[in-house]
Amino acid sequence: MDKLQTDIEAIYSKIEELRLERQQLSIADAVPAGDSPQAIADAYRRHAREIAQVSAEVKGIDDAIAALSAQLRQKQQQSVKLQRITPMEEQVEEGRALAQGHAARINELATELAAEVKGLKAIADQISPSYWQVYYKPFITGFKSITVPYVRSDGDVWTIVNRVV
């Protein structure tokens, strides 16, 4: 956004500089050095060359101003679009980045939790028969329905699913 504004200011400044340069270009009247036919002819030829050169410069300046004006309008339109879109896009991207951090942490914790649940189940499987004999009840129940959250994404849409451990 700052670069775009800098570009706009640079183009505007150059256009103003070219306009001032164009105003300073002037064509003087043909002034013969004498009354002789040769002096009059030479004066008008020199004048024609000067007019052609100054006219070419003026044309070049006018073309440059037109091109820069078109570029200025384009940059100003981009700036207006960015001013409307950027805050919302920035907000979405910031939120998305935060969400990615949380999703990564959830998936990390889900992996750790799944490992802990599997370790607990292994212990339960090992001591359950003895536990029944000592206490006449099960040691742990509900292992078939243990799930942990997992966040996945197809790039645009995120989904939280429960994975059975």
Side-chain angles (χ1 to χ4, degrees):
M1 184 71 174
D2 291 336
K3 182 182 179 341
L4 188 60
Q5 193 61 36
T6 303
D7 290 348
I8 288 171
E9 290 170 9
I11 293 169
Y12 185 75
S13 174
K14 190 62 177 177
I15 289 172
E16 289 304 311
E17 181 182 313
L18 288 169
R19 284 184 179 149
L20 287 174
E21 183 179 341
R22 188 182 191 290
Q23 286 175 354
Q24 292 172 355
L25 289 175
S26 63
I27 301 171
D29 291 334
V31 179
D35 290 339
S36 73
Q38 185 62 39
I40 293 171
D42 288 344
Y44 278 97
R45 282 187 178 142
R46 186 176 55 256
H47 186 257
R49 281 192 300 272
E50 290 173 4
I51 288 174
Q53 183 179 353
V54 171
S55 294
E57 279 191 59
V58 167
K59 169 98 170 82
I61 290 171
D62 288 345
D63 290 348
I65 289 172
L68 288 171
S69 294
Q71 189 177 26
L72 179 63
R73 282 189 300 277
Q74 179 187 13
K75 297 275 185 185
Q76 287 171 333
Q77 288 172 349
Q78 286 176 350
S79 177
V80 168
K81 284 180 185 176
L82 282 176
Q83 287 173 354
R84 276 190 253 144
I85 294 171
T86 300
M88 188 183 309
E89 283 182 357
E90 285 177 0
Q91 201 173 23
V92 167
E93 288 305 315
E94 287 174 8
R96 190 177 196 177
L98 288 172
Q100 283 176 333
H102 287 291
R105 181 70 178 136
I106 287 169
N107 290 344
E108 183 181 309
L109 290 171
T111 302
E112 290 177 28
L113 184 58
E116 293 296 324
V117 168
K118 287 177 184 176
L120 179 61
K121 185 173 184 328
I123 292 170
D125 288 345
Q126 181 182 0
I127 67 168
S128 278
S130 302
Y131 197 87
W132 267 103
Q133 289 176 0
V134 174
Y135 295 105
Y136 305 108
K137 51 184 152 188
F139 176 58
I140 297 179
T141 61
F143 276 111
K144 290 181 182 178
S145 63
I146 297 292
T147 61
V148 293
Y150 180 79
V151 181
R152 66 177 182 216
S153 169
D154 67 358
D156 291 328
V157 179
W158 292 18
T159 307
I160 298 176
V161 296
N162 289 318
R163 288 193 170 169
V164 177
V165 179

